[in-house]
Every structure is written in C-alpha cells, then in structure tokens.
C-alpha cells in the first residue's frame, strides 16, 4: 500500500469515527429528551455531553484538516 493510500485510509477511518460519534451523541440527546428529568438535570447533562462531544471530536477534525507536510521546503542557495 502506498503512502497516499495509507493517508487516505486513515482519513476515511477518522471521518467514519466522527460520524459514529455524532450519532452516539445525538442518541444521548434523544434519551435525555425522553426522560422525565427536571430542567436543572437536563441542563447539566446537556452541558456534560456537549463538553464530551467537543473533546472527542475536535482532535479528530483537527487532524483531518491539518496540512500534510511531506518534506522541508527547498532553499535557494
């Protein structure tokens, strides 16, 4: 497998993981919405879930968006 193929496979896996995590968090919000919880409990749980989501997904997105540096730029000399 070439270096580019490995890079594309890694990217595909990260994107799939992000989709799966997004679905998991959506399910968590659905569950909270169906439970008979008070507003305070819902607010606290929602905040925790949002913080967890950001901590889980942001690093994956940042890695996908990071520029690929394969070699140092050449200097004229």
């Amino acid at each position: 497998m070439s270096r580019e193929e490995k890079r594309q496979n890694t990217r595909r896996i990260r994107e799939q993981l992000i989709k799966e995590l997004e679905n998991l968090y959506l399910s968590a919000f659905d569950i909270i919405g169906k439970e008979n919880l008070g507003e305070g409990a819902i607010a606290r749980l929602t905040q925790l879930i949002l913080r967890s989501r950001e901590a889980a997904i942001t690093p994956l997105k940042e890695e996908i968006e990071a520029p690929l540096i394969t070699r140092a730029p050449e200097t004229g000399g």
Side-chain angles (χ1 to χ4, degrees):
M1 186 180 301
S2 74
R3 183 178 190 162
E4 180 61 22
E5 289 171 324
K6 288 178 183 177
R7 191 178 70 77
Q8 289 297 325
N9 284 341
T10 301
R11 180 185 179 105
R12 181 184 48 77
I13 291 168
R14 283 191 190 110
E15 289 172 344
Q16 181 61 38
L17 181 56
I18 289 169
K19 287 178 187 176
E20 291 177 19
L21 287 168
E22 291 282 4
N23 288 333
L24 176 69
Y25 285 103
L26 286 173
S27 294
F29 286 120
D30 287 343
I31 291 168
I32 290 172
K34 292 176 184 176
E35 294 296 322
N36 188 15
L37 304 172
E39 288 183 26
I42 290 172
R44 283 188 299 278
L45 278 172
T46 299
Q47 187 64 30
L48 286 171
I49 291 170
L50 288 172
R51 288 176 39 207
S52 172
R53 178 189 171 277
E54 183 166 335
I57 293 175
T58 299
L60 293 168
K61 284 185 177 180
E62 287 173 350
E63 186 66 26
I64 289 172
E65 296 168 1
L68 177 65
I69 301 174
T70 56
R71 63 176 184 223
E74 308 226 356
T75 59

